[in-house]
Amino acid sequence: MTPKPAGPPDGGWGWVVAAAAFAVNGLSYGLLRSLGLALPDLAEHFDRSTQDTAWVSALALAVQQAASPVGSALSTRWGARPVVMVGGVLTSLGFVFSAFARSLLHLYLGLGFLAGSGWALVFAPALGTLSRYFSRRRVLAVGLALTGNGASSLLLAPTLQLLLDSFGWRGALLLLGAVTLHLAPCGALLRPLVLPDDPPAPPRGPLAALGLDLFARRAFLVFALGTALVGGGYFVPYVHLAPHALDLGLGGYGAALVVAVAAVGDAGARLISGWLADQGWVSLSRLLAVFGALTGLGLLAVGLGCEGALLAAAGAYGLSAGSYAPLVFGVLPGLVGVGGVVQATGLVMMLMSLGGLLGPPLSGFLRDETGDFTASFLACGSFILSGSFIYLGLPGALPSCRPASRPATPPPERGELLPAPQVALLSPGGPQSALDTAC
């Protein structure tokens, strides 16, 4: 039998898992963010509207997120390693199949359902496994893994544009199929870790396996509602930031530069946000609400920005969105405990898919109706601001009127602190975290 450590090792092989999660994030969300560069070519080749081609990325994103609880359940039952490896193969097959598409329906099936299903099996198990390896430096480790999104976008945006110019969209998708096959060895690096709080046996029954019983917790329910609204606008730049730049006359490489600037800001902010959250100076729930609101304001700026100001607006959006991302997953152990963090990660992805499925097509519809993406980004920024307002219902998100007593033990490992109204959600820094106040 595998001996159970006293708690998360907070390092060691965890840094290898962080590197694997970095690559997984880059080959999933980073690739999705850059894929918008191919949409104009697809629209021209198949003679379809922006709204029709937007469904390619929207379906891939929605399937990836909606099926994430299935990936979490399979990971809980069989372990993250084989699940992620199978997901990598499915993603690669989806790109290869799409390279031979004869209609948009083939792209919906290849990129939308097949590649999306593969991504659903890789992201949640990888990030959930990473959270189990860390305690005091958990949010920093998650932020480091999530920088794979920005770093991959920085590299893939100009590379994909070069592939499109050199080989066309079919050749580009075929080569991306070879690249995404590298998700399989990333899964091989996810060594299983047994912790004291783990249940003695895998959960039985579909509801327990998917973690749906977590919605019975009030704090997680508030978090779920806010996250679903944020998902309505958060992923629109993944699909339409590059086409928006093209509409403003920046050209192919100019649009790639806009995506790259947003990616650089995103990647750097994730590390800084993770470090800041681990210091315990401000509660995670308050940081979540603040950076969520700044992300919404950043999208408003992108929508209102002209050709000359778009780079600055994209950079501001990247900084705010990057700061928000690690907090969404870093707050989960305080809500559900480490034992349920893999299932909770899958549920978060499913919640964001509710908005992610509608956001890009709605953005494409508004563009077709108005002739530009201004209304699209204004509407999606409003979704994010609404979700950030709901986050204020989380304990510790708002300042209170008297000091709260310090808990005897760091709560995020068991998720027992957050539901108590007299105590704030603390960072994984443990007893050294700053005190909040409560009424």
Side-chain angles (χ1 to χ4, degrees), residues 221-307:
L221 188 60
V222 172
F223 172 81
L225 180 58
T227 302
L229 282 173
V230 169
Y234 188 85
F235 297 104
V236 168
Y238 283 48
V239 181
H240 285 149
L241 180 58
H244 179 44
L246 292 172
D247 278 357
L248 293 178
L250 293 180
Y253 288 98
L257 178 61
V258 170
V259 174
V261 167
V264 170
D266 187 297
R270 293 182 184 217
L271 287 176
I272 296 173
S273 174
W275 174 84
L276 175 65
D278 282 336
Q279 303 310 304
W281 298 329
V282 184
S283 67
L284 293 181
S285 51
R286 189 175 303 168
L287 288 174
L288 184 69
V290 169
F291 285 121
L294 290 176
T295 303
L297 294 175
L299 270 185
L300 297 182
V302 169
L304 296 173
C306 59
E307 178 180 349

Side-chain angles (χ1 to χ4, degrees), residues 36 133 137 167 242 254 267 312 404:
Y133 268 89
R137 293 177 286 189
F167 304 104

Side-chain angles (χ1 to χ4, degrees), residues 29-43 50 53-54 56-58 95 111 153 156-157 160-161 164 173 176 235-246 252 255-256 259 373:
Y29 284 108
L31 185 52
L32 268 171
R33 172 176 287 182
S34 303
L35 202 57
L37 291 168
L39 295 185
D41 288 356
L42 297 178
T50 305
T53 55
V56 175
S57 296
F95 275 91
L111 286 179
S153 299
L156 285 177
L160 179 56
Q161 186 61 52
L164 291 170
L173 291 182
L176 289 178
F235 297 104
V236 168
Y238 283 48
V239 181
H240 285 149
L241 180 58
H244 179 44
L246 292 172
V259 174
F373 284 101

Side-chain angles (χ1 to χ4, degrees), residues 82-139:
V83 172
V84 173
M85 294 178 71
V86 170
V89 174
L90 288 178
T91 303
S92 178
L93 290 177
F95 275 91
V96 173
F97 175 81
S98 299
F100 300 95
R102 298 299 179 184
S103 68
L104 273 184
L105 177 61
H106 295 159
L107 290 173
Y108 294 158
L109 294 174
L111 286 179
F113 286 99
L114 188 55
S117 298
W119 278 325
L121 298 181
V122 301
F123 184 80
L127 206 62
T129 301
L130 175 63
S131 295
R132 294 169 55 81
Y133 268 89
F134 288 88
S135 176
R136 183 174 57 87
R137 293 177 286 189
R138 179 179 292 127
V139 187

Side-chain angles (χ1 to χ4, degrees), residues 323-377:
S323 299
Y324 167 83
L327 298 171
V328 174
F329 300 101
V331 78
L332 289 178
L335 291 168
V336 302
V338 169
V341 72
V342 176
Q343 293 170 312
T345 301
L347 290 176
V348 168
M349 308 310 301
M350 181 189 70
L351 292 168
M352 299 196 79
S353 75
L354 299 178
L357 177 62
L358 299 177
L362 174 62
S363 175
F365 170 77
L366 292 175
R367 193 270 180 193
D368 290 337
E369 292 296 317
T370 62
D372 58 42
F373 284 101
T374 299
S376 302
F377 283 99

